Amino acid sequence: MADFRMDADWLCYDPAPSKPTYAPPPGAVDAHCHVFGPGDVFPYASERKYTPCDVGKEQLFALRDFLGFERNVIVQATCHGADNRALVDALRAAGDRARGIATVRDTVTDEELTDLHDAGVRGVRFNFVRRLVDPKPDAYYRTIIERIAPLGWQVVIYFEAADLEERWDFFTSLPTTVVVDHMGRPDVAKPVDGPEFGRFIRLMTEHENVVSKVSCPERLSRSGPPNYDDVIPFARTLVERFPDRVLWGTDWPHPNMTNHMPDDGALVDIIPRIAPTEELRQKLLVDNPMRLYWR
Ligand code: 0GY
């Protein structure tokens, strides 16, 4: 029988985040969050590289309301592999207040895709982070793109800064809207105007179908909580240069965090620092996610 105990060295989510000082505008969307299990109902994938803390839709919806958001985009995490049952269950329970990003294999059937679409799925996620998955050749992902294209879905890609050079031709050839998780994971010890982040800015400048989540200071920061000062210039640069192509999300419940568990209230309070005007915050939190997921 499978063992769904959480890995001992990873932290569980913060059960009592602070109430943020910043109040998101009406209709705000948390565009990157997950649901995990519970493992005895929605088993974790046998090929997973970590076992998270069980934390399901009820806790996600409570956090949404507590932080002042109206909607969620729930993203399939690698620990559930291509078994989207926990995601679909959360989407159906949320009604129109959530959309989803699934993980599918190249063998997925049209019927399975239609069921996912009916539940609220609007894209697939390709994960290239080696500590999470064993990435596949480009051709594998292209097969999936052919399958999802008729549904008008987007592709979400999660990669580390070094992968951008390696997979540039593939990433820049994608015919769909392409949403990049966590700003392509820049090394924030390097300069924001240096060549590494410059490559990411070039990706967004030259390819108008590319959107970035300006999320995950807790994973990228070296200066640490609660202010994550070193991440701010990277996120703010993208928000100011590409105001119509940025999304924000909590990344709750923050799987794989070992050094600290972020306070989700403090994460929300970072928003005015990366999007300094009301107009930018309206686009980041409402207009952009509504256009991308609720059309
Ligand atoms: C995130 C980040 C991580 C995990 C996953 O699918 C996943 O398991 O994306 C990570 O470990 O950086 O966005 O949840």
Side-chain angles (χ1 to χ4, degrees), residues 32 34 50 77-78 125 131 158 182 185 219 251 255-256:
H32 187 94
H34 310 288
Y50 67 93
T78 54
R125 189 180 195 210
R131 71 183 156 77
Y158 187 27
H182 318 329
R185 291 198 64 113
R219 290 184 200 282
D251 189 37
N256 291 314

Side-chain angles (χ1 to χ4, degrees), residues 162-240:
D163 300 319
L164 184 54
E165 189 173 7
E166 199 183 306
R167 299 244 186 194
W168 178 270
D169 291 345
F170 174 59
F171 291 160
T172 58
S173 69
L174 299 178
T176 62
T177 295
V178 176
V179 176
V180 182
D181 282 339
H182 318 329
M183 303 184 280
R185 291 198 64 113
D187 178 349
V188 299
K190 294 181 179 164
V192 67
D193 54 358
E196 187 183 274
F197 200 55
R199 182 177 289 118
F200 189 75
I201 290 179
R202 194 181 134 214
L203 175 74
M204 292 198 69
T205 306
E206 294 177 1
H207 300 277
E208 289 189 356
N209 61 329
V210 177
V211 173
S212 178
K213 291 180 195 164
V214 288
S215 45
C216 255
E218 75 279 12
R219 290 184 200 282
L220 303 175
S221 180
R222 300 196 185 191
S223 60
N227 297 326
Y228 305 108
D229 290 328
D230 50 354
V231 181
I232 304 295
F234 291 81
R236 185 165 167 162
T237 296
L238 296 183
V239 170
E240 289 182 334

